[in-house]
Amino acid sequence: MAQHISYFSPGPAKIPDEVLAQVQEQLINFDTTGVSIMELSHRSKDFAKFMDKTEAVVRDLLCVPDNYRVLFMQGGGSGQFAAVPLNLISRTGKADYIVTGSWSSKAAKEAAKYGKVNYVVAKTERYTGVPDRSSWTFDPDASYVYYCANETIEGVEFHDVPEVPKGVPLVCDMSSNYFSKPVDVSKYGLIYGGAQKNIGCAGVTLVIIREDLLGKPQPICPTILDYTIMSKNKSLYNTPPSFAIHVLGEVLAWVKKEGGMAEMERRSVQKSKMIYTIIDNSSGFYSNNIQPRSRSYMNVVFRVGEGGGNEELEKKFLEKAAHQGLLSLKGHRSVGGIRASLYNAITIDDTQRLANFMKNFREENKI
Ligand code: PMP
């Protein structure tokens, strides 16, 4: 019998087995068109129908208000690091960035090419949570406030929407916790995320933008990063990443069938708690240095070994885990240690297998 695989990759990440089977079944004959989605003309009626259906499931799951546009773009999260300032900074030439980890730091550096960036929280090399609100300093002139809802590398997540100065649009990178919980879209000017973690495969970036923010791109904004042009053309200005959009639609249809946003949140809380509880009850054998209120439900990051981590023991942990079919648990090279990514496609059963493994590994290796 084939070994049971639990795949905890941070992204590209697990796609539900059921969805993969569905995509496979449709691969040769998409929706009775007689051709594959990869072959279908993006100027055909069938394609327009497919795009409308995919947009509808996005709108339905996140209850996207009517004054927001949904865009399917290319260039990944990193493309958006540039697209956001290129489209939104022109009002005052300045923007606020709340930097809480590696990805928001990269976004801030990219934005500084196109305008003046104010760091709302003090710069640091080690990210351990969302700094206390009393220490934040906003620029009253900022065109927007930017933050990353879940820092995939450090495992730092916002569990509420940051309060920002009234009238300043809030921009959010949701790449690694998109569709993992209900979102009040009306609190945002713009939300974006690459699909390859929680909502599909690499190649498409889902952008949700409030209509009044369109129409003010910088003159140098490349056409394919221009929200206004993309919106006018219903994301079909140029050839879209059709296969990736198809997978996204199938993943979201699965999310809906499984119970939608509230159910995804319930599962995420339960799964992450299973692992954090083992860490916290391990008498220091496992450690996580993120302030408890900012611990990520998506990416649980920890070290193995008393005294804050032992690289030899972590190597052994990864080898033994892989031997049992628990894969892709290595932490990001910049922080080391272990990272268990618990996106929507990871089941309670997968998480239980990891929890059991962690308990046994500790018993066998504690001092
Ligand atoms: N933002 C976050 C939160 C991410 O985790 C990543 C990728 N891991 C990115 C942005 C960059 O995305 P991409 O690789 O699609 O450019």
Side-chain angles (χ1 to χ4, degrees):
M1 206 177 86
Q3 190 187 27
H4 183 130
I5 299 290
S6 295
Y7 187 56
F8 297 97
S9 171
K14 180 158 179 60
I15 291 175
D17 295 338
E18 219 180 297
V19 173
L20 289 178
Q22 167 82 3
V23 170
Q24 183 183 38
E25 200 186 301
Q26 294 231 356
L27 197 63
I28 292 175
N29 182 1
F30 173 71
D31 207 14
T32 70
T33 56
V35 298
S36 169
I37 184 70
M38 293 182 282
E39 301 165 317
L40 194 62
S41 165
H42 62 295
R43 303 293 173 208
S44 65
K45 269 207 189 100
D46 285 319
F47 201 85
K49 200 172 98 192
F50 151 73
M51 289 295 276
D52 286 346
K53 190 173 146 201
T54 312
E55 178 173 337
V57 67
V58 169
R59 286 188 173 277
D60 178 34
L61 279 171
L62 289 188
C63 305
V64 179
D66 289 346
N67 62 327
Y68 284 74
R69 305 274 173 87
V70 173
L71 308 176
F72 299 91
M73 298 186 67
Q74 301 189 60
S78 305
Q80 294 304 310
F81 294 170
V84 166
L86 280 163
N87 283 276
L88 303 184
I89 214 168
S90 68
R91 193 170 61 83
T92 62
K94 300 188 207 174
D96 275 339
Y97 277 71
I98 308 173
V99 173
T100 53
S102 304
W103 292 111
S104 46
S105 170
K106 279 199 170 158
K109 285 191 186 122
E110 186 75 9
K113 293 180 185 171
Y114 306 108
K116 189 171 171 304
V117 166
N118 169 50
Y119 284 77
V120 173
V121 299
K123 282 193 193 177
T124 174
E125 289 298 311
R126 276 185 80 239
Y127 302 101
T128 54
V130 178
D132 200 70
R133 306 283 151 108
S134 60
S135 69
W136 298 13
T137 46
F138 290 104
D139 177 345
D141 247 3
S143 297
Y144 59 88
V145 178
Y146 179 104
Y147 80 109
C148 175
N150 183 64
E151 286 286 357
T152 324
I153 293 177
E154 290 83 7
V156 170
E157 186 168 5
F158 281 77
H159 293 296
D160 51 13
V161 183
E163 293 254 341
V164 298
K166 212 168 173 320
V168 182
L170 183 60
V171 174
C172 182
D173 173 2
M174 282 193 193
S175 294
S176 52
N177 66 354
Y178 229 175
F179 294 84
S180 70
K181 57 183 165 191
V183 175
D184 181 353
V185 175
S186 71
K187 290 199 165 143
Y188 294 89
L190 182 144
I191 301 170
Y192 74 81
Q196 68 270 25
K197 297 167 196 304
N198 232 355
I199 53 173
C201 66
V204 63
T205 313
L206 184 67
V207 176
I208 302 173
I209 181 168
R210 212 174 61 211
E211 274 170 6
D212 62 285
L213 296 175
L214 297 170
K216 301 168 209 99
Q218 294 193 17
I220 58 160
C221 181
T223 305
I224 61 151
L225 292 183
D226 186 321
Y227 300 137
T228 312
I229 291 176
M230 278 296 161
S231 172
K232 271 190 192 139
N233 290 277
K234 295 189 88 182
S235 306
L236 299 178
Y237 171 80
N238 67 328
T239 319
S242 42
F243 181 73
I245 299 173
H246 171 53
V247 177
L248 181 149
E250 293 297 328
V251 169
L252 293 187
W254 174 85
V255 167
K256 167 107 179 133
K257 189 178 73 101
E258 290 290 307
M261 297 296 74
E263 176 61 12
M264 293 303 118
E265 181 176 40
R266 193 193 64 73
R267 292 182 192 178
S268 299
V269 171
Q270 186 183 347
K271 288 183 289 182
S272 57
K273 202 167 165 197
M274 284 161 74
I275 305 301
Y276 285 124
T277 303
I278 292 199
I279 294 170
D280 293 341
N281 294 338
S282 71
S283 307
F285 182 79
Y286 297 114
S287 54
N288 164 285
N289 69 349
I290 304 304
Q291 59 175 203
R293 68 178 163 82
S294 308
R295 281 175 163 184
S296 173
Y297 294 162
M298 296 282 103
N299 311 97
V300 179
V301 173
F302 60 94
R303 301 294 311 256
V304 184
E306 279 92 354
N310 169 332
E311 284 182 17
E312 276 305 305
L313 208 52
E314 284 165 346
K315 208 167 145 237
K316 189 171 162 193
F317 179 97
L318 291 169
E319 279 166 11
K320 284 207 129 193
H323 196 68
Q324 296 188 20
L326 303 166
L327 303 184
S328 209
L329 285 162
K330 198 171 187 320
H332 190 270
R333 59 192 181 281
S334 62
V335 293
I338 311 295
R339 168 172 52 176
S341 297
L342 307 174
Y343 302 126
N344 290 345
I346 296 291
T347 61
I348 304 282
D349 182 52
D350 289 320
T351 316
Q352 191 59 58
R353 293 182 69 221
L354 174 61
N356 293 345
F357 171 77
M358 287 174 70
K359 268 191 218 149
N360 293 338
F361 189 83
R362 177 179 165 233
E363 281 312 310
E364 287 160 16
N365 293 282
K366 68 182 180 193
I367 298 169

